[in-house]
Amino acid sequence: MNQPIEKNRTQSRYGIGEWYGRLFTSLDRNTLHYFASCASHECSDAPPCRFRGGAPCSKSGGVCSIRLYERDLGSGEVKVASSKAGRLVTTCPYRFLEGNSAFKWIGEIVLSHSEPLIAGQVGFLSPVQKEGFDRSSAKDVGRIDNILVNPNGDSLAWCALEIQAVYFSGSGMAKEFKAILAHQDDSLPFPVMNRRPDYRSSGPKRLMPQLQTKVPTLRRWGKKMAVVVDDSFYDSLDEMIPVDHISNADLAWFVLDYVESGELAVLTPQMVHMTTLERAVEGLTAGQPVSLDVFETRIRKKLAGPSTISLANQGSD
């Protein structure tokens, strides 16, 4: 008689990947409790951010990245999910400032200088003045994250830079902090709430409008846009047809990957993908229109459903 095959019963949830700059998996119980108290605003000073030159962490909760964990429902063992499923996903934009390596990399590729000058949060759009509405006191309504400038030469040689971390949807981290404070053994705590990286909010909803607003003007000016992301964000994009040289590109994706060693992870350059704005929009959209027949079938299903709105049945005041 064949014996039934027992399925591997595991539970998966996203939790803290890096906390105040250190890998969550490397932290002992005392450090976990200290970080949880700081994240809950119960310590006097926030731990320093190693990505901002030691300045106090300015991100509420101190979570730099998240990652997927697995718990064996039989043994209770908790571990990082295997392969790419368990990779770190950057949630704090300051995380990309590590060692200024991204700035140096972009400067070398786009400006032919590995030590560019950096101007942060430069106003790009100014309020349009409208008759009957005074906007003279309004601030710039659009900013570019950073402008990188080649320090050599008399002319101003520069490129724009946008940095995009990944938002997550689901439960916030406050309950995780409370659970960690209550965790009294030396095992790895398993996340108590469900959440996941929200690449749609990070890409099509946030980054794409930024590119569509800024790149056309930059293109007219003969300037390039660099976009810094981690490999998890880049892998969420659809295929983008590349161009063969920076002179033919509107923008360049600078993709960084994590290398873990001891209690730290280091973001390191992985690849550059140069493309046009149109191809970048296709990659961010990551979808194709359905056929007319399929779309009209969906309309008919909606009309047959209980949520259909009939104007004839709407009362008037």
Side-chain angles (χ1 to χ4, degrees):
M1 179 181 296
N2 293 331
Q3 296 293 324
I5 299 175
E6 184 176 348
K7 294 182 179 180
N8 183 24
R9 298 175 62 241
T10 60
Q11 184 179 21
S12 300
R13 282 180 185 160
Y14 277 90
I16 301 170
E18 293 169 292
W19 209 3
Y20 294 112
R22 296 169 61 183
L23 285 168
F24 186 77
T25 52
S26 73
L27 303 177
D28 59 31
R29 181 173 31 164
N30 289 336
T31 306
L32 286 171
H33 287 177
Y34 169 63
F35 281 178
S37 66
C38 290
S40 302
H41 309 291
E42 296 175 1
C43 67
S44 56
D45 297 307
C49 175
R50 67 183 182 92
F51 314 118
R52 300 175 60 230
C57 177
S58 62
K59 183 175 175 61
S60 179
V63 177
C64 316
S65 58
I66 61 174
R67 74 187 329 167
L68 188 66
Y69 294 91
E70 294 179 346
R71 177 170 61 181
D72 187 295
L73 295 180
S75 65
E77 179 188 8
V78 178
K79 62 181 182 180
V80 174
S82 59
S83 189
K84 279 192 171 184
R87 64 185 164 183
L88 294 165
V89 179
T90 312
T91 54
C92 177
Y94 288 122
R95 182 65 183 84
F96 289 106
L97 303 184
E98 182 175 22
N100 290 328
S101 59
F103 297 137
K104 296 176 182 179
W105 187 26
I106 295 166
E108 183 177 348
I109 297 295
V110 183
L111 302 174
S112 300
H113 198 290
S114 61
E115 298 290 339
L117 304 176
I118 304 167
Q121 294 295 316
V122 179
F124 178 72
L125 300 175
S126 293
V128 176
Q129 300 303 318
K130 184 178 179 181
E131 185 178 355
F133 188 81
D134 182 13
R135 293 176 175 169
S136 59
S137 62
K139 296 180 179 180
D140 293 322
V141 295
R143 299 175 185 271
I144 294 177
D145 287 345
N146 293 279
I147 300 295
L148 275 55
V149 181
N150 187 326
N152 296 334
D154 296 329
S155 62
L156 199 63
W158 59 272
C159 70
L161 167 61
E162 291 288 329
I163 295 174
Q164 184 60 57
V166 179
Y167 306 132
F168 66 83
S169 61
S171 177
M173 289 292 181
K175 291 184 178 179
E176 302 295 336
F177 305 150
K178 291 181 180 179
I180 291 168
L181 281 169
H183 192 76
Q184 295 302 319
D185 60 48
D186 294 324
S187 62
L188 183 64
F190 186 68
V192 296
M193 303 299 292
N194 291 314
R195 63 187 60 81
R196 62 175 179 79
D198 191 345
Y199 296 107
R200 299 296 297 176
S201 291
S202 309
K205 293 183 180 180
R206 194 276 172 186
L207 179 59
M208 187 164 69
Q210 297 288 324
L211 299 182
Q212 289 175 315
T213 299
K214 298 168 183 176
V215 171
T217 298
L218 294 174
R219 181 163 52 189
R220 290 193 295 272
W221 291 348
K223 303 299 181 181
K224 308 300 179 184
M225 170 71 81
V227 183
V228 170
V229 296
D230 67 16
D231 68 326
S232 72
F233 182 96
Y234 184 79
D235 284 352
S236 74
L237 306 179
D238 205 354
E239 183 178 357
M240 295 174 287
I241 299 173
V243 297
D244 58 357
H245 193 270
I246 186 66
S247 62
N248 294 321
D250 295 323
L251 59 92
W253 299 90
F254 286 80
V255 185
L256 296 105
D257 190 16
Y258 285 95
V259 175
E260 299 181 38
S261 178
E263 66 178 27
L264 302 179
V266 178
L267 269 175
T268 58
Q270 183 186 44
M271 63 165 289
V272 182
H273 186 99
M274 301 179 189
T275 189
T276 63
L277 173 61
E278 291 75 18
R279 301 292 83 78
V281 168
E282 291 174 357
L284 285 161
T285 304
Q288 297 180 346
V290 298
S291 68
L292 176 61
D293 288 343
V294 170
F295 188 69
E296 290 185 344
T297 297
R298 294 177 179 177
I299 293 175
R300 292 186 179 95
K301 288 183 178 179
K302 289 287 185 179
L303 293 176
S307 60
T308 301
I309 299 173
S310 174
L311 297 180
N313 295 330
Q314 300 298 307
S316 58
D317 296 332

